[in-house]
Amino acid sequence: DVVALVYVFFFPAPATTDIYTLSLHDALPTSDLSMTITDRHDPIVAGKELTYEIQVDNNGRQPDRQVVLVVTVPPAMQAVRLQTVGPTGYEIDGSTIRFKPVDLVEPGGSIVYRVRVQAKLPGQASLRARLTSQGLRQPLVAEEETVINAVQ
């Protein structure tokens, strides 16, 4: 539902009327989602697996809808399909994991995703998560750096 607020301004001379329409969506704060990424074992050795936990919290007073998480796995890593889990199903396309939308996140609610990867190459790797929803005006983006050591 969108509520429109209409303002009419009258100016003395010359007589003109300007009408401005402002939707309620633009006038009020919409969403207060936050996102954190943690990796439990850092550094890791090439060839080993690692789980990232991505937590989304609704810190606001309004529910948020159609919450979608897209994770980009860095080139030095590969997604492990069977141990990646979330509140909804997902699809893996190359280095991108796209979780299906969560219909509703209530105020004070949290959702948790676990992304399992295998380290392939030594070096610094950065996993990137991008969150969108009906209430967010701009996507939330977070990254987590992981050090991958060579096999000894």
Side-chain angles (χ1 to χ4, degrees):
D1 296 324
V2 176
V3 176
L5 304 174
V6 178
Y7 296 94
V8 178
F9 296 97
F10 296 96
F11 298 96
T16 62
T17 303
D18 292 330
I19 299 176
Y20 297 94
T21 302
L22 178 68
S23 75
L24 188 59
H25 178 76
D26 294 332
L28 299 175
T30 54
S31 183
D32 192 10
L33 294 181
S34 63
M35 176 173 53
T36 56
I37 305 175
T38 55
D39 55 356
R40 298 182 184 258
H41 299 65
D42 189 1
I44 188 172
V45 176
K48 298 291 183 180
E49 292 184 359
L50 167 73
T51 299
Y52 290 94
E53 184 174 283
I54 302 167
Q55 181 166 328
V56 177
D57 298 307
N58 184 348
N59 305 305
R61 290 183 270 161
Q62 299 294 323
D64 205 341
R65 299 180 189 287
Q66 298 301 305
V67 178
V68 176
L69 179 70
V70 177
V71 177
T72 304
V73 177
M77 298 178 167
Q78 179 177 348
V80 176
R81 182 177 299 276
L82 294 178
Q83 295 176 344
T84 295
V85 295
T88 59
Y90 61 89
E91 296 176 359
I92 298 177
D93 183 14
S95 63
T96 302
I97 304 168
R98 184 179 195 284
F99 289 88
K100 294 185 187 307
V102 173
D103 291 333
L104 180 70
V105 180
E106 293 287 353
S110 297
I111 49 179
V112 177
Y113 303 83
R114 287 185 180 80
V115 174
R116 186 82 170 171
V117 297
Q118 181 179 30
K120 298 188 308 184
L121 303 170
Q124 191 92 4
S126 181
L127 183 102
R128 183 175 191 262
R130 182 177 185 270
L131 188 75
T132 58
S133 74
Q134 282 184 352
L136 287 172
R137 292 183 187 190
Q138 295 181 354
L140 290 179
V141 177
E143 293 188 0
E144 178 66 17
E145 295 278 331
T146 302
V147 176
I148 304 171
N149 292 324
V151 178
Q152 297 180 352

